[in-house]
Each structure stands twice: as C-alpha cells, then as structure tokens.
Amino acid sequence: MQEHFHFTTDQAKIQKQYAAIFFFVSAQLPSIQMYLQRRNRHLAKQEDAVIIAIHLLGKLLGFSSERAWHRFVTGNLFTDGHFLERSRYNRRSCALRFAIQWIRHELAKRGQHHAYAVVDSMPLELCHSARMYRVKRFQGIADIGLCASKKQWYYGFKLH
C-alpha cells in the first residue's frame, strides 16, 4: 500500500503538516542543542530541524521502511533535489536519536487526547489454583477469573 501512497495523499496537506512539525521542532531544538555533541555541524547540507521534522512526519504517516519514506520525501517534498542521500539521511536520523525522542515526548505531552485507547491486561495471581477456593486473603476484593491467553483459572486481580 505504501508504494501507492503518493497517489492517494494531497501534497499540499503533507506540506502543511511538514511546516507545522518543522515550526514546532525549530522552537524546541535550541533548548536541547547543547546535548547534541557533533563536530562540523556548520558543514551539514540540511539543518537538524529539517531532518527531525522529516523523520517525525514519516512516523506520523506510518512509514516503516526508511527506503520507501526517503523515496516519498524526495518525490513529494524536496522535488528540487536539495535533500540528503538515503544513507546520509539514515545516519543523521540515527545520530539525532536523542533529540527525536525528546521532541516526540514533547509532542505527546501537547497532543490531543483521543477518545480511544489501547489497554492491555494480565492476571495478577495471589495463590495457586489448588488453593483458590479456600483462600481468605483479599476476600471480597480479589476474585476468581479466567486468563483466556493461558486458558487457565486464577485467583487474584486483573492488572490493566
């Protein structure tokens, strides 16, 4: 499906998303610039903010392949050829891993809260199944339940 992604998306919408992310990254990057210990930063073809914004946009759009994402970027956002080669882009995004994680955390803190969430649960066993009918601890609070993934009964709590 990602091979045909550029035919089904609006290029203006993607450029607006990129501009919004780039503006946020440019505002946040000076506060962590001192932690990015890199030499020859002044010789870079692209700014760190551009690399981080492009990387975050790729994650936002759901690209899992760096190769497909780079092909999409060079074909839709930087059509004039002024973007890094794929190997250089991958190395720079790996070098900026700390900054990307920090900015993703900041975006998540400021993000919208959705009505849906994914919740995982697991059983929290208090005793073995041989004693579960005569146990007195946590009586009235804990209960007997079925763990569907293990296909076994347990006495205890359901941890979410």
Side-chain angles (χ1 to χ4, degrees):
M1 181 172 165
Q2 287 180 353
E3 294 84 17
H4 304 291
F5 192 75
H6 61 280
F7 295 116
T8 59
T9 57
D10 185 17
Q11 190 172 3
K13 182 179 175 184
I14 291 175
Q15 287 177 347
K16 281 183 185 178
Q17 288 176 336
Y18 168 70
I21 293 172
F22 179 76
F23 179 73
F24 181 78
V25 168
S26 297
Q28 297 294 321
L29 199 58
S31 61
I32 61 169
Q33 196 75 32
M34 65 186 128
Y35 299 112
L36 302 176
Q37 302 292 330
R38 294 186 313 124
R39 294 176 288 149
N40 300 329
R41 189 178 310 160
H42 63 284
L43 298 175
K45 186 176 178 180
Q46 293 287 334
E47 297 178 25
D48 290 343
V50 173
I51 301 298
I52 294 171
I54 290 292
H55 186 81
L56 291 176
L57 182 63
K59 296 300 179 190
L60 178 71
L61 293 177
F63 278 88
S64 59
S65 167
E66 291 289 338
R67 182 175 180 219
W69 174 237
H70 185 268
R71 193 177 323 134
F72 181 82
V73 167
T74 55
N76 292 307
L77 290 174
F78 292 91
T79 56
D80 55 358
H82 292 303
F83 192 65
L84 300 174
E85 299 167 351
R86 183 171 57 91
S87 62
R88 175 57 46 195
Y89 165 72
N90 290 340
R91 277 189 234 130
R92 287 276 304 276
S93 61
C94 285
L96 294 169
R97 180 176 54 239
F98 167 74
I100 290 170
Q101 289 175 350
W102 190 83
I103 289 175
R104 282 181 77 176
H105 179 70
E106 290 297 314
L107 276 172
K109 285 195 318 191
R110 289 177 172 80
Q112 299 173 355
H113 298 286
H114 298 287
Y116 302 101
V118 177
V119 178
D120 194 14
S121 63
M122 61 180 268
L124 186 61
E125 278 187 89
L126 296 177
C127 68
H128 291 288
S129 57
R131 294 185 54 225
M132 73 179 162
Y133 291 106
R134 62 177 188 254
V135 69
K136 302 289 185 206
R137 297 247 168 150
F138 298 106
Q139 193 173 14
I141 300 172
D143 204 2
I144 297 173
L146 174 69
C147 179
S149 63
K150 296 180 182 178
K151 295 185 177 97
Q152 68 182 19
W153 293 92
Y154 67 94
Y155 176 80
F157 300 105
K158 192 104 174 189
L159 179 66
H160 295 279

